[in-house]
Amino acid sequence: MEQTTRRVAVFGAGYIGLVTGACLAELGHTVAVRDILPERVELLQAGEVPIYEPGLGDMILRNKERLRFTLDAEDAVRGAEVAYVCVDTPPTASGDADLSRVWAVVDALKEASHLLALVVKSTVPVGTGRRIRAALDAAGLGHVGYASNPEFTAEGRAVSDFMNPDRIVIGTSDTATGDLIKGLHAGVDGPAVAMDIASAEMTKLAANAALATKITLANELATVCEATGADIEQVTAAIGMDHRIGQHFLKAGLGYGGSCFPKDSRALHALASNSGYSFQLLRTVIEVNGLQARRHLQRLKDELGGFEGRTVALLGMTFKAGTDDMREAPSTIIAARLLAEGAAVRCWDPMAQPGPGQPWDSTTRHASPLEAMAGADAAVIVTEWPELRDAPWAEVRAAMRTALLLDGRNLLDGAAMAQLGFTYMSVGRPTVRP
Ligand code: UDX
């Protein structure tokens, strides 16, 4: 395909906005990224990246001739041909998505009659695009195309996911806009899938619901494995070899977290509820996920004989490895539950930077897994950091008061840990004792 470079304004310099802006610049487009937070924009203008995302800093630096950051919406959109909306859509009290930031961008574009298209990447309820289309028409911007172009990138691999996606979903009602957005992606290695706007909006929510359900299936099967003596790792490895099931997203653990799955599953559930339909499968997924960390903590409590006056090491605070993101991380529930039960909590994480506030203010932070576990009565692996696989477990064994470990990520080999003297509990596998 012949490459036409475009001038693009990206609204929102969060994970999605920064990755989108940087990748579009990498593809040759000229990009202005606008955010409303002065400190964020200043940092970016100074060449620093406010989030941890592999490859993103280098990409921003490499494309600095074509990529700039601004606080000013008018400045961002001046001369732009395409405007991307990448702002966040947090849940409201009713469980609906808060679209105020999306609408603020649409309002800021009311004078931008030179635009060719407005593209929404933010995750929005089905029907939002239709309303935005109507608002554009009412503002005399009927000639500005509209597209829903949801994002499926995962944190920690967002740059490579953007450049090599499984698919690029482009939802629009006119082919010219579809072709324009497809052209913007020239150089991206992945098929474009054209559809209507509502279906594109639904595809984003449906993809996350499918993945959250798959993880939850593994977690539910793990519980049955625990009750029956089967080993979930062997079971998921074998069912995953069936191409109809696939191996991905079958890893049992302490429940999914992050900025997407919890929020989007609740948003899809709320969307269904608003039309009077109870999405029962999704409701169960949400409930099971909420129970997961609590249930395993209860197993640990039973094994230890109570948490009151005990010291517990919490290993990993981020919602998954390879990110500094702690949004909806199971670690938060675990830390709060341990404190509520009267335990002292000693934490380790190589990247997490929780702001001030509970539960973290009442915990202590340590420089290494060994240091966090020294003197502890029990330890919980919450995040699958490689440092934990490679921790000096023999030294840890000697340093802990009681060698009790709950491996919430099935990271370690139970037999080896028992040989070192640990009582080793994990998810969906038999507990192994020294
Ligand atoms: C996810 C989707 O993958 C992405 O397509 C979407 O755009 C945003 O949400 P992300 O939140 O970055 O991306 O993380 P992901 O790697 O998908 O993991 C989500 C959560 O599920 C994590 O807490 C992870 O630990 C957990 N998980 C994942 C499991 O418990 N088991 C698995 O098998 C996979």
Side-chain angles (χ1 to χ4, degrees), residues 152-153 155 204 215 249-251 256-257 260 319-320 409:
F152 302 100
T153 54
E155 285 177 26
K204 166 73 188 194
I215 296 169
F249 281 72
L250 275 180
K251 184 86 184 142
Y256 58 76
C260 283
F319 82 95
K320 65 176 186 179
R409 293 286 189 164

Side-chain angles (χ1 to χ4, degrees), residues 362-386:
S362 299
T363 67
T364 55
R365 183 78 180 264
H366 300 271
S368 69
L370 174 62
E371 193 186 301
M373 286 185 273
D377 298 294
V380 187
I381 294 179
V382 185
T383 313
E384 71 284 19
W385 288 109

Side-chain angles (χ1 to χ4, degrees), residues 109-362:
L109 299 177
K110 290 261 164 85
E111 304 294 316
S113 57
H114 58 278
L115 276 179
L116 300 178
L118 172 63
V119 186
V120 169
K121 259 204 186 303
S122 303
T123 303
V124 294
V126 182
T128 304
R130 189 170 30 83
R131 289 167 58 206
I132 295 177
R133 176 72 270 166
L136 292 175
D137 292 347
L141 299 176
H143 59 286
V144 177
Y146 179 85
S148 163
N149 174 214
E151 195 47 72
F152 302 100
T153 54
E155 285 177 26
R157 38 178 292 178
V159 169
S160 68
D161 278 354
F162 189 101
M163 291 307 214
N164 308 283
D166 288 343
R167 75 299 203 194
I168 305 159
V169 170
I170 304 171
T172 184
S173 54
D174 65 289
T175 44
T177 302
D179 291 344
L180 173 69
I181 307 309
K182 197 172 162 188
L184 270 184
H185 289 83
V188 168
D189 186 15
V193 183
M195 57 179 77
D196 63 79
I197 296 169
S199 301
E201 293 168 338
M202 186 66 187
T203 298
K204 166 73 188 194
L205 295 170
N208 281 347
L211 294 168
T213 303
K214 209 172 170 195
I215 296 169
T216 304
L217 173 67
N219 286 335
E220 288 275 71
L221 290 171
T223 304
V224 183
C225 286
E226 277 159 32
T228 54
D231 180 330
I232 189 68
E233 296 296 330
Q234 295 182 32
V235 172
T236 48
I239 65 172
M241 290 168 78
D242 185 326
H243 71 279
R244 295 168 302 174
I245 298 172
Q247 322 159 355
H248 300 289
F249 281 72
L250 275 180
K251 184 86 184 142
L254 296 177
Y256 58 76
S259 62
C260 283
F261 289 172
K263 178 171 85 73
D264 292 354
S265 50
R266 288 193 293 262
L268 181 52
H269 187 263
L271 189 68
S273 303
N274 290 343
S275 60
Y277 171 63
S278 171
F279 197 148
Q280 298 197 41
L281 175 63
L282 203 52
R283 194 189 61 205
T284 303
V285 166
I286 294 164
E287 188 184 339
V288 169
N289 196 63
L291 279 173
Q292 196 65 6
R294 294 167 197 270
R295 203 178 62 72
H296 286 284
L297 212 52
Q298 183 63 37
R299 289 176 63 219
L300 185 67
K301 183 181 168 184
D302 291 344
E303 182 72 32
L304 195 59
F307 286 129
E308 183 70 42
R310 304 302 183 108
T311 299
V312 180
L314 193 155
L315 307 169
M317 295 152 73
T318 54
F319 82 95
K320 65 176 186 179
T323 174
D324 59 358
D325 197 337
M326 292 184 61
R327 282 178 286 178
E328 306 241 15
S331 63
T332 312
I333 294 172
I334 292 171
R337 285 292 310 128
L338 286 168
L339 292 167
E341 296 270 349
V345 181
R346 295 165 65 83
C347 306
W348 168 82
D349 190 284
M351 295 218 50
Q353 292 171 337
Q358 293 299 347
W360 306 112
D361 285 357
S362 299

Side-chain angles (χ1 to χ4, degrees), residues 391-406:
W393 288 107
E395 267 181 79
V396 169
R397 163 73 191 89
M400 285 182 81
R401 194 159 28 207
T402 328
L404 173 59
L405 181 64
L406 168 61

